[in-house]
Amino acid sequence: MVIKNINLETVCGITSTLPDNALPEIAFAGKSNVGKSSLINALMNRKAYARISATPGKTQTINFYNINEQLYLVDLPGYGYAKVSEKEKKEWGALIERYLHGSGQLKAVFLLIDIRHDPSANDRMMYEWIVSQGYKPIIIATKLDKIKRSQKEKQLKAVKQGLGLAPGTIVIPFSSVTKQGRDEIWELVETEYLEGEKAE
């Protein structure tokens, strides 16, 4: 994907009306601090278009990035940050649920998991919940540059087992530092979720 133009077109908070977009949407979910903004910046070929915060739990909105007038990358609020109040957690959960139920253009959900750690209870819950909504999540194992190459297969196995992945689930190791995995993600998006759009 050659990135020609990007526009942060819509920012939806808890009380916002979700946009009725005509272009395909690709959503990214993951717990706070998993590297979601870094991944989205890498996909957009920008250093800091998606805001990266030193404080986990800062993304409290759903952000729609229009890419080349071809598709939207959709950044969902991070989950599982302990210092956020229960009320806020529930509101974010309701916002994400409303989006997954309400979007007519959502083609795929990517779930980000930190490759260094076994998936948390929140990660497992999110994976099972995305599946229950009728989607087959694609797993992105982030922070690949933080482990030794010799640990990669062992950690990927831990991610697959920890989430209880359905057979055939795609898992893409990714590093925002080296950009490893970026091309695979775009290739998947273009072949699986944009081919039909071009033909129409």
Side-chain angles (χ1 to χ4, degrees):
M1 170 73 76
V2 178
I3 309 295
K4 292 174 185 160
N5 54 66
I6 302 166
N7 180 24
L8 174 53
E9 198 169 279
T10 315
V11 176
C12 281
I14 288 153
T15 57
S16 306
T17 303
L18 290 165
D20 185 14
N21 291 325
L23 299 173
E25 296 169 3
I26 308 295
F28 296 87
K31 70 181 173 195
S32 304
N33 233 3
V34 76
K36 200 150 44 62
S37 297
S38 299
L39 167 71
I40 290 171
N41 282 325
L43 290 174
M44 297 191 299
N45 240 359
R46 299 292 188 275
K47 281 213 168 94
Y49 201 98
R51 289 191 301 275
I52 297 168
S53 171
T55 311
K58 266 292 192 221
T59 306
Q60 300 179 19
T61 53
I62 299 179
N63 300 331
F64 292 79
Y65 296 93
N66 185 325
I67 310 294
N68 295 349
E69 299 295 329
Q70 277 183 288
L71 78 156
Y72 290 95
L73 300 184
V74 182
D75 185 5
L76 300 175
Y79 57 82
Y81 185 52
K83 289 189 184 172
V84 173
S85 72
E86 284 306 313
K87 178 176 177 279
E88 280 182 298
K89 283 181 192 169
K90 281 184 181 148
E91 285 174 340
W92 295 358
L95 178 62
I96 295 170
E97 185 166 7
R98 189 156 58 91
Y99 170 66
L100 290 186
H101 277 306
S103 169
Q105 288 295 335
L106 181 57
K107 305 296 180 190
V109 182
F110 286 82
L111 178 60
L112 280 62
I113 304 290
D114 188 330
I115 197 168
R116 299 172 300 174
H117 310 297
D118 289 354
S120 66
N122 277 324
D123 289 328
R124 284 193 298 277
M125 209 158 60
M126 192 67 183
Y127 170 73
E128 287 163 8
W129 190 67
I130 294 167
V131 170
S132 75
Q133 302 303 308
Y135 295 97
K136 289 182 182 169
I138 298 116
I139 308 302
I140 300 179
T142 62
K143 311 205 179 192
L144 180 62
D145 52 281
K146 307 259 189 212
I147 62 169
K148 292 177 182 164
R149 200 174 289 178
S150 60
Q151 295 175 297
K152 179 179 157 188
E153 291 310 316
K154 174 175 165 271
Q155 292 306 115
L156 284 174
K157 188 177 178 186
V159 167
K160 290 172 186 174
Q161 288 180 340
L163 290 174
L165 294 184
T169 301
I170 296 167
V171 181
I172 301 173
F174 174 79
S175 164
S176 62
V177 175
T178 66
K179 304 298 184 282
Q180 184 176 337
R182 178 185 184 274
D183 291 347
E184 288 94 315
I185 294 166
W186 269 128
E187 194 176 320
L188 182 68
V189 168
E190 289 186 277
T191 55
E192 294 292 321
Y193 308 113
L194 288 184
E195 289 299 304
E197 302 296 321
K198 290 174 189 166
E200 282 169 13

